[in-house]
Amino acid sequence: MVCFLVIYCRQKEQNMTFKEIINQDKPVLVDFFAEWCGPCKMMAPVLEQLKERIGDAATIIKIDVDKSPQAANAYQVQGVPTLIVFKNGKPVWRQSGVRPLAELESVLRSNAAH
């Protein structure tokens, strides 16, 4: 089982599994992070602002790599933060490190349009 925190989403997504969430038709941004990671903490306000801008066009979830190492291993996450955008269950974009709000918004909007 993957231990994850669904943030910035609709109520029905709170009860979905990780696989169900990433298999949605809309983009899903997964933030692989760790509590001890300084750059990961810098991403939190960026993700909050991002969700305010994109609304229900995308879902954002966080996965703590220390609590769910199997998820990190499944997607070859070597460092944190690693951000992966999924659409229909497939990774369509991936970057490691702190990313700017404008870049993340652009990626999610371009994947929501398809």
Side-chain angles (χ1 to χ4, degrees):
M1 183 174 119
V2 175
C3 180
F4 63 93
L5 174 63
V6 181
I7 56 172
Y8 325 118
C9 67
R10 295 183 308 234
Q11 184 60 39
K12 77 170 196 157
E13 291 168 330
Q14 293 287 345
N15 297 319
M16 296 171 72
T17 67
F18 176 72
K19 202 167 212 87
E20 289 171 333
I21 290 173
I22 67 169
N23 275 300
Q24 294 181 94
D25 192 32
K26 68 179 180 175
V28 178
L29 174 61
V30 180
D31 173 21
F32 289 90
F33 78 104
E35 292 291 335
W36 47 263
C37 167
C40 298
K41 292 175 183 171
M42 293 170 54
M43 282 304 303
V46 173
L47 296 177
E48 288 175 21
Q49 291 175 7
L50 177 62
K51 189 54 184 177
E52 287 175 15
R53 289 188 182 193
I54 61 166
D56 285 338
T59 298
I60 300 172
I61 68 174
K62 296 174 71 73
I63 296 181
D64 186 328
V65 297
D66 292 327
K67 293 179 181 169
S68 292
Q70 70 278 21
N73 290 337
Y75 296 101
Q76 293 90 39
V77 173
Q78 302 292 316
V80 288
T82 293
L83 303 163
I84 303 176
V85 174
F86 292 88
K87 187 161 183 187
N88 297 314
K90 296 185 171 74
V92 295
W93 179 88
R94 176 188 183 123
Q95 289 290 317
S96 293
V98 176
R99 310 308 307 166
L101 175 62
E103 177 185 3
L104 297 174
E105 183 177 6
S106 174
V107 168
L108 290 179
R109 290 196 186 283
S110 68
N111 281 288
H114 300 136

